[in-house]
Every structure is written in C-alpha cells, then in structure tokens.
Amino acid sequence: MWVVNSGISTVQSAWNKNSDTEQGTQIDLIIERRDNVVNMCEIIFFSNKFTVTKSYHETLMQRIELL
C-alpha cells in the first residue's frame, strides 16, 4: 500500500536473501517512492562511535548490487 508523506507516495519494506550456495544478506529498510527514487537504509544501534570501515563499505556496495 502506498503511503503519502510530504506529498510523495511511498512504500516501505525490508528485504533479505538466503542461499545455500552464497552468503545471505539483509537490508533493514527500503523506501520506494512513487517518483522512482529508492532509499536503502542500514539501521544499526551502537552505543559508541561507529566508523564505516572499508570492509563494511564493500558489504553495503554488495547489498546495493544485489538489490
């Protein structure tokens, strides 16, 4: 169901991929907008300073490719 926020209709969902032959992955929140913009959100609770390492950046880029 499309929801209207600030004049733009959106649909929110989560996404995951499970596989016996490849590593699985999960995207916490995907916001699809009626104007063809897609936001992929990574949600992390961390009580200290969080730094995106090169390895974590590569993981995010792989998720974008899979999506």
Side-chain angles (χ1 to χ4, degrees), residues 5-27:
N5 292 321
S6 302
I8 299 173
S9 299
T10 62
V11 173
Q12 295 81 27
S13 61
W15 180 84
N16 65 24
K17 177 183 182 227
N18 296 322
S19 175
D20 292 335
T21 59
E22 299 176 22
Q23 181 178 353
T25 193
Q26 172 182 324
I27 298 173

Side-chain angles (χ1 to χ4, degrees), residues 4 8 17 31 51 58:
V4 178
I8 299 173
K17 177 183 182 227
I31 303 170
T51 302
E58 290 171 357

Side-chain angles (χ1 to χ4, degrees), residues 52-66:
V52 176
T53 62
K54 182 178 179 180
S55 171
Y56 190 69
H57 173 76
E58 290 171 357
T59 298
L60 293 175
M61 294 298 102
Q62 289 172 351
R63 290 179 184 170
I64 290 171
E65 289 296 319
L66 288 171

